[in-house]
Amino acid sequence: MPLYRFSLVMSVMTLLLYNIPFFRFVVSHSELPAFRLALFTLSLALIMVALNFLVCYLLVFLTRYVGRTIVALSHVLNATCVYFVVVYNTLMDGSMMGNVFNTRYSEASGFFSAPLFLCMFFLGIVPAAYVLLQKIDYGKWKTFGVAAGTSLGVSLLLVLLNFNQFLWIGQYDTELGGLLMPWSYTINTCRIAAQHHQANAEEIILPEASFRNDDKEAVVLVIGESARRDNFSLYGYEKNTNPRLSQMSDVMPLMARSCATYTTAGVKCILEYADKSQLYEILPNYLFRNGADVSWRTSNWGEPPVHVDEYLSRGDLAKIYADEDEHYDGMLFAGVKERIEQSHKNKVLIVIHTSTSHGPRYDQQYPAEFEVFKPVCRSVEEGRDNIEGLVNAYDNSVVYTDFLLSQLIDTLRTMDDWKTSMLFVSDHGESLGENGLFMHGVPLSIAPKEQYEIPFLVWTSDSLRSLKHDNAEIDQHYVFHTVLGLLSVDSPVYDADKDIFDF
Ligand SMILES: [Zn+2]
């Protein structure tokens, strides 16, 4: 059998034997009308066939029996995964692959059953045997070039034709990625390995630091998600999205830009002392190692490895503060005052990594009472055609942010024994339909300003401190040096020029 035909058979088999749950999910979750849904599903099937064909062809052409062994193995793994997807409704996503690699034999053996082995035999081992025993004519480089070029061209064209489904795919990326065989477990295994590598990566330790005094000083650093400056009325937005903060004359809005348009890079930039490609000790780790009390609270992800004693997800906090609603970011702000007052240290940093304006379903990020601007989009489909509804939902998430920050400041104000400060900085901005763009992630060099112009809000109880930079646009590294200043830290890496305060 010529290799191109073999690869096509493999690709179609992969589609039919292992990807039915993927297409079942697409059909049941799409809101497209029947005809457009049929076209979209067909496009996805063709893209899948073309790309799997390309990968199979490449592997086997370039590495012969090694490639055939990998393809054979993928059938066995696909069959096993599809069994768990169908029987247990699992997704082969990152957390599931993490479980797989952390499971002992005794736990895994509980899943062994006759149906599992039958599924593995007929859907896995039989196709694998076929792959290994089939006689293949590997063909010439020219055929290889034509086959690779055609499949790549077809996939690209279909991706472009379905570009308007980008938002929908973004909404269900975890589910779709977790059902797509063999890429679900392949890519998620690579991600687990990369995370493991990153978590164990040696961060470059910064020089020792000390505290200049014993004053009780606390900083709450709130990291925003996809908050863009344009939609904060503090920066001149015509809709009143900051009804509470705008009443506080001591809240200082600074002009700032993010150094990236995606979460991991934006958060790294907020926490590191300078623009570095290598991993240097980040702010919470640095302060914790030098004797400060540091707590990390999060409903988000993607930060560099945090090495502090207290790392709390929204779920962890729900167990401590049962009164708050676990579904919203208000949870992250529960009990901050008590947490600071009960500290055994005089220097406290609390980092709150929120997800309050995370798209594309902005309407799901805030409690009902914050739905100030109406009507709002209730689905991704609607959001693309109804920009006004999308922006309303986004603006409501800003109103909720405004509420959370103003409440935090009001709480900190009551702490007479402490000098307290609050910084709010977003990881990056967000596109809301301008030039047909949504969400974020466009490379910074060509990104529209909506994706990097961010709010940077500061409040401090210390009336002696005065702002140094009031008009110039600052970057996210100012956070590191300002926090060091606020906590009276003496450090060789402290850069007074990047402290927003004079004092
Ligand atoms: Zn982000």
Side-chain angles (χ1 to χ4, degrees):
M1 184 186 278
L3 179 56
Y4 72 86
R5 200 187 301 160
F6 170 82
S7 302
L8 195 61
V9 170
M10 287 301 109
S11 177
V12 173
M13 261 171 69
T14 303
L15 177 82
L16 296 178
L17 295 182
Y18 317 117
N19 281 294
I20 300 299
F22 175 89
F23 286 100
R24 211 169 48 195
F25 183 91
V26 172
V27 171
S28 61
H29 285 77
S30 175
E31 286 152 25
L32 287 171
F35 180 67
R36 281 178 62 194
L37 175 60
L39 280 182
F40 177 51
T41 313
L42 184 68
S43 302
L44 284 178
L46 287 174
I47 293 170
M48 201 185 277
V49 168
L51 290 181
N52 285 338
F53 166 84
L54 177 65
V55 173
C56 177
Y57 202 126
L58 273 172
L59 260 177
V60 178
F61 184 79
L62 295 175
T63 64
R64 308 289 152 113
Y65 253 95
V66 176
R68 283 168 74 160
T69 311
I70 295 172
V71 174
L73 186 67
S74 81
H75 284 293
V76 179
L77 292 173
N78 285 344
T80 314
C81 290
V82 106
Y83 173 83
F84 283 96
V85 166
V86 172
V87 175
Y88 295 101
N89 252 325
T90 46
L91 288 174
M92 294 299 135
D93 58 3
S95 57
M96 179 51 65
M97 294 320 293
N99 290 337
V100 169
F101 291 114
N102 289 312
T103 301
R104 283 191 295 271
Y105 176 79
S106 57
E107 292 171 59
S109 57
F111 290 106
F112 293 170
S113 66
L116 170 62
F117 289 124
L118 283 175
C119 179
M120 283 174 72
F121 182 76
F122 286 107
L123 290 187
I125 293 172
V126 172
Y130 170 79
V131 171
L132 293 175
L133 298 175
Q134 178 67 45
K135 274 204 163 68
I136 295 177
D137 172 10
Y138 294 101
K140 300 203 166 58
W141 278 95
K142 195 178 157 195
T143 329
F144 167 76
V146 172
T150 312
S151 53
L152 203 60
V154 168
S155 326
L156 271 176
L157 182 69
L158 286 166
V159 168
L160 285 176
L161 285 175
N162 288 279
F163 200 66
N164 57 359
Q165 289 301 312
F166 176 75
L167 266 185
W168 183 84
I169 292 174
Q171 183 183 5
Y172 293 112
D173 55 355
T174 308
E175 291 88 344
L176 294 169
L179 292 171
L180 186 64
M181 306 295 162
W183 303 108
S184 54
Y185 58 84
T186 311
I187 290 173
N188 284 315
T189 299
C190 294
R191 277 172 61 182
I192 296 276
Q195 277 168 14
H196 186 76
H197 177 77
Q198 196 196 27
N200 291 299
E202 281 293 314
E203 53 183 21
I204 301 167
I205 298 295
L206 297 176
E208 299 302 306
S210 59
F211 299 102
R212 276 194 301 281
N213 56 44
D214 289 330
D215 297 355
K216 284 176 177 289
E217 291 174 318
V219 175
V220 182
L221 167 61
V222 183
I223 301 177
E225 170 60 59
S226 307
R228 70 182 218 181
R229 194 203 294 165
D230 273 0
N231 289 51
F232 279 62
S233 48
L234 284 171
Y235 291 94
Y237 189 41
E238 67 272 17
K239 285 156 83 176
N240 190 8
T241 48
N242 299 125
R244 296 171 186 83
L245 290 174
S246 58
Q247 299 301 311
M248 298 179 173
S249 56
D250 48 359
V251 170
M252 297 163 260
L254 308 178
M255 303 300 269
R257 63 157 63 202
S258 64
C259 57
T261 62
Y262 55 98
T263 303
T264 47
V267 174
K268 179 170 179 277
C269 215
I270 291 171
L271 300 176
E272 66 188 356
Y273 83 101
D275 222 345
K276 297 287 177 189
S277 55
Q278 286 165 295
L279 180 63
Y280 277 78
E281 200 168 16
I282 53 171
L283 180 66
N285 301 354
Y286 185 46
L287 289 173
F288 179 72
R289 186 173 64 81
N290 283 286
D293 179 10
V294 181
S295 176
W296 185 281
R297 297 173 165 215
T298 181
S299 63
N300 212 321
W301 66 281
E303 71 277 357
V306 175
H307 307 302
V308 301
D309 264 355
E310 192 175 72
Y311 185 99
L312 301 165
S313 67
R314 215 155 57 177
D316 297 329
L317 287 157
K319 290 176 197 142
I320 309 172
Y321 306 103
D323 294 346
E324 280 287 335
D325 189 340
E326 192 186 338
H327 296 100
Y328 301 107
D329 274 349
M331 189 73 205
L332 300 174
F333 293 76
V336 165
K337 179 181 175 183
E338 294 70 28
R339 175 64 186 78
I340 295 172
E341 285 176 342
Q342 285 159 12
S343 176
H344 299 299
K345 303 277 179 66
N346 291 328
K347 308 293 175 188
V348 180
L349 170 68
I350 296 185
V351 184
I352 300 183
H353 189 191
T354 68
S355 55
T356 322
S357 293
H358 199 295
R361 289 296 302 277
Y362 308 110
D363 64 302
Q364 291 181 333
Q365 305 290 354
Y366 52 82
E369 62 263 38
F370 294 94
E371 197 148 288
V372 180
F373 303 107
K374 294 173 192 171
V376 303
C377 290
R378 301 267 176 230
S379 74
V380 166
E381 269 306 301
E382 207 187 320
R384 224 184 32 248
D385 304 326
N386 173 8
I387 300 291
E388 189 199 344
L390 185 81
V391 174
N392 279 342
Y394 182 86
D395 288 344
N396 292 329
S397 76
V398 178
V399 174
Y400 185 44
T401 301
D402 178 80
F403 167 78
L404 295 173
L405 298 181
S406 60
Q407 263 216 327
L408 171 64
I409 292 172
D410 279 339
T411 308
L412 296 177
R413 267 185 220 286
T414 63
M415 299 175 58
D416 295 334
D417 296 343
W418 288 77
K419 283 184 193 166
T420 54
S421 307
M422 191 280 315
L423 273 75
F424 171 75
V425 189
S426 187
D427 59 347
H428 49 76
E430 186 86 330
S431 281
L432 294 170
E434 295 86 4
N435 307 314
L437 288 173
F438 294 90
M439 313 273 283
H440 51 267
V442 173
L444 190 65
S445 52
I446 54 165
K449 67 180 180 54
E450 293 83 15
Q451 295 197 11
Y452 59 75
E453 286 185 350
I454 51 166
F456 189 131
L457 306 177
V458 188
W459 171 87
T460 176
S461 69
D462 187 349
S463 55
L464 293 177
R465 289 185 188 273
S466 62
L467 269 189
K468 192 164 45 186
H469 302 270
D470 37 10
N471 282 321
E473 196 173 55
I474 58 177
D475 64 40
Q476 289 166 318
H477 298 302
Y478 278 72
V479 172
F480 186 100
H481 302 280
T482 303
V483 172
L484 254 51
L486 288 167
L487 294 178
S488 311
V489 177
D490 266 335
S491 160
V493 292
Y494 170 72
D495 180 355
D497 287 342
K498 291 211 161 193
D499 186 336
I500 60 169
F501 291 109
D502 241 341
F503 162 78

